[in-house]
Amino acid sequence: MASSVDFSRVRKAVIPAAGWGTRFLPATKASPKEMLPVVDKPTIQYVVEEAAHSGLDDILIVTGRTKRAIEDHFDRSTELEAVLSAKGRAELLELVEGISRIAELHFVRQKEQLGLGHAVLCARHHVGDRPFAVLLGDDIIDSVEPVTAQLLSLAAAEGCGVVALERHTGPEISRYGVVSGRPLREGVFSIEGLVEKPPAEKAPSQLAVMGRYVLPPSVFELLEQTAPGVGGEIQITDALDRLAREDRLLGLEYEGRRYDIGDKHGWMVANIELMLKHPTLGPPLRDYLRGHPATR
Ligand code: UTP
């Protein structure tokens, strides 16, 4: 099956955000992990901004029960806007109004949390028969060029799907989907197969798939045919394994620093590092970290 899909004008992004977030309990019992603030913005706003800054202007967020705050965040808040306007808080008003203008947002509910692959499948009707991007709603990637834009450039140049790869030399590789394949050039891999959460000693490479993808619409058919795999969930890794074998799939070792916000440590590190980069919040935090006994 040779791909004849036009990857040069991708417009749609899908952001799965329906997972349970068990690694972050109890905070995620009734609140979405995607709404956890990093510095001063909820995690999912970083992800939506990455999609928008990558040229994707039609964004579908896959939500579930207990996730209503995500929709509210991107909606207008006319009462708050009226209060800020009456108080003459022009800067905050601009900040709040701007959120509802970042991109055209749509929402669909995943009614049962049957896995990431199933969440992506929930986007089938909205996406239709064009290639699309997937950005996981709990991964922030800080980079000069948005990582999704990096993937889109390669997909357009090569005319095939591309997934983001990160090199892991330690045992933590067993937490991810891992690729086998061969390097085409610096940072670009031709993927021959994928395996979900392999034991570290059996991992086919050091390259793990991270939460950004550019995919052809044919992946929906493959997901439709994918039986529950590791953890009883419909795994996107299994569908991508078939895509790699039957069509063509590349991996890109992207440039950027990734934070897994679904993990308590990852969330804290993101807050520290990104606040240190903030023009006004950074310097006092740096002073605190240097001088406080608790940080020694
Ligand atoms: P995770 O592997 O982080 O799972 O999902 P999770 O359930 O959200 O969190 P933990 O492991 O229990 O703490 C990766 C991505 O897939 C989405 C999540 O929202 C996250 O963006 N996802 C996962 C869904 O949208 N639906 C699912 O059924 C599972």
Side-chain angles (χ1 to χ4, degrees):
M1 173 170 76
S3 176
S4 60
V5 179
D6 180 6
F7 281 89
S8 65
R9 278 191 301 274
V10 180
R11 283 195 45 222
K12 292 189 180 177
V14 175
I15 302 182
W20 285 110
T22 52
R23 286 172 298 151
F24 221 124
L25 282 167
T28 47
K29 179 167 178 268
S31 315
K33 65 174 165 177
E34 295 78 9
M35 289 301 293
L36 286 167
V38 172
V39 186
D40 57 357
K41 284 193 287 196
T43 301
I44 195 148
Q45 190 177 330
Y46 289 87
V47 181
V48 167
E49 286 171 349
E50 181 189 324
H53 295 157
S54 301
L56 304 169
D57 54 9
D58 177 331
I59 299 174
L60 178 74
I61 301 182
V62 183
T63 68
R65 279 185 295 284
T66 79
K67 303 275 184 171
R68 189 164 298 166
I70 297 176
E71 274 179 71
D72 290 344
H73 181 71
F74 291 103
D75 196 2
R76 292 277 308 270
S77 176
T78 43
E79 297 85 351
L80 178 60
E81 288 168 22
V83 169
L84 293 173
S85 174
K87 288 178 186 273
R89 309 290 303 270
E91 228 173 273
L92 283 181
L93 181 63
E94 171 59 27
L95 192 71
V96 165
E97 280 181 339
I99 296 170
S100 56
R101 290 197 300 258
I102 300 172
E104 186 186 318
L105 288 188
H106 303 269
F107 297 89
V108 64
R109 276 198 176 206
Q110 184 187 21
K111 294 189 180 66
E112 269 182 288
Q113 280 116 319
L114 299 177
L116 172 58
H118 180 259
V120 172
L121 198 47
C122 293
R124 184 176 197 170
H125 182 70
H126 184 88
V127 169
D129 59 1
R130 305 288 298 269
F132 63 105
V134 177
L135 297 83
L136 298 195
D138 59 353
D139 265 346
I140 292 176
I141 310 182
D142 184 40
S143 59
V144 179
E145 183 187 12
V147 171
T148 298
Q150 297 175 33
L151 300 190
L152 285 167
S153 301
L154 183 62
E158 296 282 345
C160 68
V162 180
V163 301
L165 297 178
E166 191 175 79
R167 192 173 289 276
H168 286 266
T169 51
E172 76 281 1
I173 188 91
S174 64
R175 296 206 300 260
Y176 303 108
V178 182
V179 304
S180 55
R182 57 194 169 80
L184 283 187
R185 55 183 183 272
E186 179 72 26
V188 179
F189 291 82
S190 176
I191 299 176
E192 283 157 11
L194 292 92
V195 50
E196 180 66 15
K197 297 188 173 64
E201 64 283 3
K202 291 208 177 127
S205 75
Q206 295 181 334
L207 293 170
V209 179
M210 293 300 139
R212 302 292 186 265
Y213 314 73
V214 174
L215 300 172
S218 60
V219 79
F220 290 123
E221 198 51 47
L222 299 175
L223 283 168
E224 199 72 79
Q225 296 165 10
T226 300
V230 173
E233 297 189 341
I234 296 178
Q235 298 287 352
I236 194 162
T237 305
D238 295 339
L240 295 182
D241 180 58
R242 271 191 67 194
L243 184 69
R245 289 170 198 280
E246 297 173 12
D247 192 342
R248 185 163 177 249
L249 184 65
L250 296 182
L252 176 70
E253 260 192 283
Y254 59 85
E255 312 227 335
R257 171 113 171 96
R258 183 185 67 95
Y259 303 101
D260 178 2
I261 306 300
D263 171 75
K264 291 172 186 174
H265 180 81
W267 171 79
M268 184 55 78
V269 169
N271 272 287
I272 294 170
E273 291 190 10
L274 295 179
M275 195 179 277
L276 283 171
K277 287 177 89 173
H278 191 280
T280 54
L281 300 171
L285 177 64
R286 193 174 304 276
D287 288 348
Y288 165 79
L289 291 173
R290 279 205 188 113
H292 197 276
T295 61
R296 280 190 214 125

